Amino acid sequence: MPYDQPYNASGPQIAGGHATASGRAAVAGAFAPPPGTTWARVSTRLTWYRRVQLLVAAVLVMVIGVFLAARTLGLPGGIIVFVVVLVAAVVVWLLVEFNCRSWGYLEQPDEFLMAHGVLVRRFLMVPYGRMQLVDVNSNVLQQWFGIATVRLYTAAATTDARLPGIPRQEAERLRDRLVAKSEARSMGL
């Protein structure tokens, strides 16, 4: 959307109740990497890591839910809970793929950029000079998949700059690069 047009608080220009092509392009452009660059993507193993988490949670909810529903509502209640949990798990199973593909990051000369999300998109820019701590962590299941999460901490308490699904060796290299850039920029403050 051109900058000389007035701001429309309701979102992209609406014609007949639908967002126009130029409105959709403007929204897509807000989450695009800078011109001439492309997003570095997280590992595809993140998808399977999240699907294993989903399976464990779905089985637990299904067993406990079916047991409780069958005891209080009888066999029809247990069947209803089983079907609801199964349908929800299948839908989330499919959405996990899209969510994991949406993660992207980019190291720029002065800041670190991240974008992710399918239903709710998020773009985050963290200046290197504002970084106070770069943390790499990996739980047991992540270690099994060979991935880690890189988390950036700044002075702002609301910063939630985490980047999941990075291969462990790349996560360590990324941490070292970000720390070096952060130290170089903070010395100049």
Side-chain angles (χ1 to χ4, degrees):
M1 191 177 313
Y3 291 110
D4 59 347
Q5 291 184 356
Y7 174 74
N8 181 357
S10 64
Q13 300 168 8
I14 305 297
H18 300 288
T20 63
S22 65
R24 284 190 301 273
V27 170
F31 297 98
T37 62
T38 58
W39 292 119
R41 297 293 176 185
V42 299
S43 172
T44 56
R45 291 176 272 179
L46 177 62
T47 301
W48 289 103
Y49 165 73
R50 291 196 171 159
R51 285 179 171 168
V52 168
Q53 285 182 312
L54 169 68
L55 284 175
V56 170
V59 167
L60 287 174
V61 168
M62 190 175 290
V63 168
I64 294 169
V66 167
F67 174 76
L68 293 175
R71 285 194 52 129
T72 58
L73 304 171
L75 184 60
I79 292 172
I80 290 171
V81 168
F82 177 82
V83 170
V84 167
V85 173
L86 184 63
V87 169
V90 168
V91 169
V92 173
W93 180 277
L94 297 173
L95 289 177
V96 162
E97 176 86 22
F98 296 113
N99 182 272
C100 292
R101 285 184 182 192
S102 75
W103 283 90
Y105 64 98
L106 182 63
E107 294 177 67
Q108 288 288 94
D110 294 321
E111 64 266 338
F112 185 74
L113 307 176
M114 292 174 29
H116 66 92
V118 177
L119 300 176
V120 176
R121 305 227 23 213
R122 183 168 186 202
F123 180 87
L124 186 66
M125 178 180 10
V126 181
Y128 296 124
R130 303 282 182 191
M131 289 182 198
Q132 294 183 334
L133 176 69
V134 180
D135 179 33
V136 175
N137 59 56
S138 185
N139 64 33
V140 174
L141 188 57
Q142 286 175 322
Q143 290 174 30
W144 189 68
F145 278 100
I147 59 176
T149 299
V150 177
R151 186 176 297 263
L152 310 174
Y153 294 93
T154 66
T158 59
T159 301
D160 181 26
R162 66 179 176 79
L163 190 59
I166 305 296
R168 227 176 18 221
Q169 294 80 13
E170 176 57 24
E172 292 169 4
R173 287 192 295 269
L174 180 61
R175 176 200 58 208
D176 294 343
R177 288 192 309 268
L178 292 177
V179 167
K181 290 177 181 180
S182 172
E183 289 174 349
R185 297 303 189 283
S186 64
M187 295 292 180
L189 292 179

Coordinates of all heavy atoms in Angstrom, one line a residue, residues 3-56:
Y3 N 2.5 4.8 0.7 CA 2.5 5.6 1.9 C 1.7 6.9 1.9 O 1.3 7.4 2.9 CB 4.0 6.0 2.3 CG 4.8 4.8 2.7 CD1 5.8 4.3 1.8 CD2 4.6 4.1 3.8 CE1 6.6 3.2 2.2 CE2 5.3 3.0 4.2 CZ 6.3 2.6 3.4 OH 7.0 1.5 3.7
D4 N 1.4 7.4 0.7 CA 0.6 8.6 0.6 C -0.9 8.4 0.8 O -1.6 9.3 0.8 CB 0.9 9.3 -0.7 CG 0.5 8.4 -1.9 OD1 0.3 7.2 -1.8 OD2 0.5 9.0 -3.0
Q5 N -1.3 7.1 0.9 CA -2.8 6.9 1.1 C -3.0 6.9 2.6 O -2.2 6.6 3.4 CB -3.2 5.5 0.6 CG -3.1 5.4 -0.9 CD -3.6 4.1 -1.4 OE1 -3.9 3.2 -0.6 NE2 -3.7 3.9 -2.7
P6 N -4.2 7.3 3.0 CA -4.5 7.4 4.4 C -4.5 6.0 5.1 O -4.8 5.0 4.4 CB -5.9 8.1 4.5 CG -6.5 7.9 3.1 CD -5.3 7.8 2.2
Y7 N -4.2 6.0 6.4 CA -4.2 4.7 7.1 C -5.6 4.2 7.3 O -6.5 5.0 7.7 CB -3.5 4.9 8.5 CG -3.6 3.7 9.3 CD1 -2.8 2.6 9.1 CD2 -4.5 3.7 10.4 CE1 -2.9 1.5 9.9 CE2 -4.6 2.6 11.2 CZ -3.8 1.5 11.0 OH -3.8 0.4 11.8
N8 N -5.8 3.0 7.0 CA -7.2 2.4 7.2 C -7.0 1.4 8.3 O -6.4 0.3 8.2 CB -7.6 1.6 5.9 CG -8.9 1.0 6.0 OD1 -9.6 1.0 7.1 ND2 -9.4 0.4 4.9
A9 N -7.6 1.7 9.5 CA -7.5 0.9 10.7 C -8.2 -0.4 10.5 O -7.9 -1.4 11.3 CB -8.1 1.6 11.9
S10 N -9.1 -0.6 9.6 CA -9.8 -1.9 9.4 C -8.9 -2.9 8.6 O -9.4 -4.0 8.4 CB -11.1 -1.7 8.8 OG -11.0 -1.2 7.5
G11 N -7.8 -2.5 8.1 CA -6.9 -3.5 7.4 C -6.8 -3.1 5.9 O -7.0 -1.9 5.6
P12 N -6.6 -4.1 5.1 CA -6.4 -3.8 3.6 C -7.7 -3.2 3.0 O -8.7 -3.4 3.6 CB -6.1 -5.1 3.0 CG -5.7 -6.0 4.2 CD -6.3 -5.4 5.4
Q13 N -7.5 -2.6 1.9 CA -8.6 -2.0 1.2 C -9.7 -3.1 0.9 O -9.3 -4.1 0.4 CB -8.2 -1.3 -0.1 CG -7.2 -0.2 0.1 CD -6.6 0.2 -1.2 OE1 -7.0 -0.2 -2.3 NE2 -5.5 1.0 -1.1
I14 N -10.9 -2.8 1.2 CA -12.0 -3.8 1.1 C -12.8 -3.4 -0.1 O -13.3 -2.3 -0.2 CB -12.8 -3.9 2.3 CG1 -11.9 -4.2 3.5 CG2 -13.9 -5.0 2.2 CD1 -11.2 -5.5 3.5
A15 N -13.1 -4.3 -1.0 CA -14.0 -4.1 -2.2 C -15.0 -5.2 -2.2 O -14.6 -6.4 -2.4 CB -13.2 -4.0 -3.5
G16 N -16.2 -5.0 -1.9 CA -17.2 -6.0 -1.9 C -17.0 -7.0 -0.8 O -17.4 -8.2 -0.9
G17 N -16.4 -6.6 0.4 CA -16.2 -7.5 1.5 C -15.0 -8.3 1.5 O -14.8 -9.1 2.4
H18 N -14.2 -8.2 0.4 CA -13.0 -9.0 0.3 C -11.8 -8.1 0.2 O -11.8 -7.1 -0.4 CB -13.1 -10.0 -0.9 CG -14.2 -10.9 -0.9 ND1 -14.3 -12.0 0.0 CD2 -15.4 -10.9 -1.6 CE1 -15.4 -12.6 -0.2 NE2 -16.1 -12.0 -1.1
A19 N -10.6 -8.6 0.7 CA -9.4 -7.8 0.6 C -9.0 -7.8 -0.9 O -9.1 -8.8 -1.6 CB -8.3 -8.4 1.4
T20 N -8.5 -6.7 -1.3 CA -8.1 -6.5 -2.7 C -6.7 -7.2 -2.9 O -6.0 -7.4 -1.9 CB -8.0 -5.1 -3.2 OG1 -7.1 -4.4 -2.3 CG2 -9.4 -4.4 -3.0
A21 N -6.4 -7.4 -4.2 CA -5.1 -8.0 -4.4 C -3.9 -7.1 -3.9 O -2.9 -7.6 -3.4 CB -4.9 -8.3 -5.9
S22 N -4.1 -5.8 -4.1 CA -3.0 -4.9 -3.6 C -3.0 -4.9 -2.1 O -1.9 -4.8 -1.6 CB -3.3 -3.5 -4.2 OG -4.5 -3.0 -3.6
G23 N -4.1 -5.1 -1.4 CA -4.1 -5.2 0.0 C -3.4 -6.4 0.5 O -2.6 -6.4 1.4
R24 N -3.6 -7.6 -0.2 CA -3.0 -8.8 0.2 C -1.5 -8.7 -0.1 O -0.7 -9.3 0.6 CB -3.6 -10.0 -0.6 CG -4.9 -10.4 0.0 CD -5.4 -11.7 -0.7 NE -5.5 -11.7 -2.1 CZ -6.6 -11.3 -2.7 NH1 -7.7 -10.9 -2.1 NH2 -6.7 -11.3 -4.0
A25 N -1.1 -8.1 -1.2 CA 0.3 -8.0 -1.5 C 1.0 -7.1 -0.5 O 2.2 -7.4 -0.1 CB 0.5 -7.4 -2.9
A26 N 0.4 -6.1 0.0 CA 1.0 -5.2 1.0 C 1.2 -6.0 2.3 O 2.2 -5.8 2.9 CB 0.1 -4.0 1.2
V27 N 0.2 -6.8 2.7 CA 0.4 -7.6 3.9 C 1.5 -8.6 3.7 O 2.3 -8.8 4.6 CB -1.0 -8.3 4.2 CG1 -0.8 -9.3 5.3 CG2 -2.0 -7.2 4.6
A28 N 1.5 -9.3 2.5 CA 2.6 -10.2 2.3 C 3.9 -9.6 2.3 O 4.9 -10.1 2.8 CB 2.3 -11.0 1.0
G29 N 4.0 -8.4 1.7 CA 5.3 -7.6 1.7 C 5.8 -7.2 3.1 O 7.0 -7.1 3.3
A30 N 4.9 -7.1 4.0 CA 5.3 -6.7 5.4 C 6.0 -7.8 6.1 O 6.8 -7.6 7.0 CB 4.0 -6.3 6.2
F31 N 5.9 -9.0 5.6 CA 6.5 -10.2 6.2 C 7.6 -10.8 5.3 O 8.1 -11.9 5.6 CB 5.5 -11.3 6.5 CG 4.5 -10.8 7.6 CD1 3.3 -10.3 7.2 CD2 4.8 -10.8 8.9 CE1 2.4 -9.8 8.1 CE2 3.9 -10.3 9.8 CZ 2.7 -9.8 9.4
A32 N 7.9 -10.1 4.2 CA 8.9 -10.6 3.3 C 10.3 -10.1 3.8 O 10.5 -9.1 4.4 CB 8.7 -10.0 1.9
P33 N 11.4 -10.9 3.4 CA 12.7 -10.4 3.7 C 13.1 -9.2 2.9 O 12.4 -8.9 1.9 CB 13.6 -11.6 3.3 CG 12.8 -12.3 2.3 CD 11.3 -12.1 2.6
P34 N 14.1 -8.5 3.3 CA 14.5 -7.3 2.5 C 14.8 -7.7 1.1 O 15.2 -8.8 0.8 CB 15.8 -6.8 3.3 CG 15.6 -7.4 4.7 CD 14.9 -8.7 4.5
P35 N 14.7 -6.8 0.2 CA 14.9 -7.1 -1.2 C 16.3 -7.6 -1.4 O 17.3 -7.2 -0.8 CB 14.8 -5.7 -1.9 CG 13.9 -4.9 -1.0 CD 14.2 -5.4 0.4
G36 N 16.4 -8.6 -2.3 CA 17.7 -9.2 -2.6 C 18.2 -10.3 -1.6 O 19.3 -10.8 -1.7
T37 N 17.3 -10.6 -0.6 CA 17.7 -11.6 0.4 C 16.6 -12.7 0.5 O 15.5 -12.4 0.0 CB 17.9 -11.0 1.8 OG1 16.6 -10.4 2.2 CG2 19.0 -10.0 1.8
T38 N 16.9 -13.8 1.1 CA 15.9 -14.8 1.3 C 16.0 -15.3 2.7 O 17.0 -15.2 3.3 CB 16.0 -16.0 0.3 OG1 17.3 -16.6 0.5 CG2 15.9 -15.7 -1.1
W39 N 14.9 -15.8 3.2 CA 14.8 -16.3 4.6 C 15.6 -17.6 4.7 O 15.5 -18.5 3.8 CB 13.4 -16.6 5.1 CG 12.5 -15.4 5.2 CD1 11.4 -15.2 4.6 CD2 12.7 -14.4 6.2 NE1 10.8 -14.0 5.0 CE2 11.6 -13.5 6.0 CE3 13.6 -14.0 7.1 CZ2 11.4 -12.3 6.8 CZ3 13.5 -12.9 7.9 CH2 12.4 -12.1 7.7
A40 N 16.4 -17.8 5.7 CA 17.0 -19.1 6.1 C 15.9 -19.8 6.8 O 15.2 -19.2 7.6 CB 18.2 -18.9 7.0
R41 N 15.7 -21.1 6.5 CA 14.6 -21.9 7.0 C 15.1 -22.8 8.1 O 16.3 -23.2 8.2 CB 14.0 -22.7 5.9 CG 13.3 -21.9 4.8 CD 12.2 -21.1 5.4 NE 11.6 -20.2 4.4 CZ 10.6 -19.4 4.6 NH1 10.1 -19.3 5.8 NH2 10.2 -18.6 3.7
V42 N 14.2 -23.1 9.0 CA 14.5 -24.1 10.1 C 14.5 -25.5 9.5 O 14.0 -25.7 8.4 CB 13.5 -23.9 11.3 CG1 13.6 -22.5 11.9 CG2 12.1 -24.2 10.9
S43 N 14.9 -26.4 10.3 CA 15.0 -27.8 9.9 C 13.6 -28.4 9.7 O 12.7 -28.1 10.5 CB 15.8 -28.6 10.9 OG 15.8 -30.0 10.6
T44 N 13.5 -29.3 8.7 CA 12.2 -30.0 8.5 C 12.0 -31.0 9.7 O 10.8 -31.5 9.9 CB 12.2 -30.8 7.2 OG1 13.3 -31.7 7.2 CG2 12.3 -29.8 6.0
R45 N 13.0 -31.3 10.5 CA 12.8 -32.2 11.6 C 11.9 -31.5 12.7 O 11.4 -32.2 13.6 CB 14.2 -32.5 12.2 CG 14.9 -33.5 11.3 CD 16.3 -33.8 11.8 NE 17.2 -32.7 11.3 CZ 18.5 -32.7 11.6 NH1 19.0 -33.5 12.4 NH2 19.2 -31.7 11.1
L46 N 11.8 -30.2 12.6 CA 10.9 -29.5 13.6 C 9.5 -30.0 13.4 O 8.7 -30.1 14.4 CB 11.0 -28.0 13.4 CG 10.0 -27.1 14.3 CD1 10.4 -27.3 15.7 CD2 10.1 -25.7 13.9
T47 N 9.1 -30.2 12.2 CA 7.7 -30.7 11.9 C 7.5 -32.1 12.7 O 6.5 -32.2 13.3 CB 7.5 -31.0 10.4 OG1 7.7 -29.7 9.8 CG2 6.1 -31.5 10.1
W48 N 8.4 -33.0 12.5 CA 8.3 -34.3 13.2 C 8.4 -34.2 14.7 O 7.7 -34.9 15.4 CB 9.2 -35.3 12.6 CG 8.7 -35.6 11.2 CD1 9.3 -35.1 10.0 CD2 7.6 -36.4 10.8 NE1 8.5 -35.6 8.9 CE2 7.5 -36.3 9.4 CE3 6.7 -37.1 11.5 CZ2 6.5 -37.0 8.7 CZ3 5.6 -37.7 10.9 CH2 5.6 -37.7 9.5
Y49 N 9.2 -33.3 15.2 CA 9.3 -33.1 16.6 C 8.0 -32.7 17.2 O 7.5 -33.2 18.2 CB 10.4 -32.0 16.9 CG 10.4 -31.5 18.3 CD1 10.8 -32.2 19.4 CD2 9.9 -30.2 18.5 CE1 10.7 -31.7 20.7 CE2 9.9 -29.6 19.8 CZ 10.3 -30.4 20.8 OH 10.2 -29.9 22.1
R50 N 7.3 -31.7 16.5 CA 6.0 -31.2 17.0 C 4.9 -32.3 16.8 O 4.0 -32.3 17.6 CB 5.7 -29.9 16.3 CG 6.6 -28.8 16.8 CD 6.1 -27.5 16.4 NE 6.9 -26.4 17.1 CZ 6.9 -25.2 16.7 NH1 6.2 -24.8 15.7 NH2 7.7 -24.3 17.3
R51 N 5.1 -33.1 15.8 CA 4.1 -34.1 15.6 C 4.2 -35.2 16.7 O 3.2 -35.8 17.1 CB 4.2 -34.7 14.2 CG 3.6 -33.8 13.1 CD 3.8 -34.4 11.8 NE 3.0 -33.5 10.8 CZ 3.1 -33.7 9.5 NH1 3.9 -34.6 9.0 NH2 2.4 -32.9 8.7
V52 N 5.4 -35.5 17.1 CA 5.6 -36.5 18.2 C 5.0 -35.9 19.5 O 4.3 -36.6 20.2 CB 7.0 -36.9 18.4 CG1 7.3 -37.6 19.7 CG2 7.5 -37.7 17.2
Q53 N 5.2 -34.6 19.7 CA 4.6 -34.0 20.9 C 3.1 -34.1 20.8 O 2.4 -34.4 21.8 CB 5.0 -32.5 21.0 CG 6.4 -32.2 21.4 CD 6.6 -30.7 21.5 OE1 6.3 -30.0 20.6 NE2 7.2 -30.3 22.6
L54 N 2.5 -33.8 19.6 CA 1.1 -33.9 19.4 C 0.6 -35.3 19.7 O -0.5 -35.5 20.4 CB 0.7 -33.5 18.0 CG -0.7 -33.8 17.6 CD1 -1.7 -32.9 18.3 CD2 -0.8 -33.6 16.1
L55 N 1.2 -36.3 19.2 CA 0.8 -37.7 19.4 C 0.8 -38.1 20.9 O -0.2 -38.7 21.4 CB 1.7 -38.7 18.6 CG 1.5 -38.8 17.1 CD1 2.5 -39.7 16.5 CD2 0.1 -39.2 16.8
V56 N 1.8 -37.7 21.6 CA 1.9 -38.0 23.0 C 0.7 -37.3 23.8 O 0.0 -37.9 24.6 CB 3.2 -37.6 23.6 CG1 3.2 -37.6 25.2 CG2 4.3 -38.5 23.1

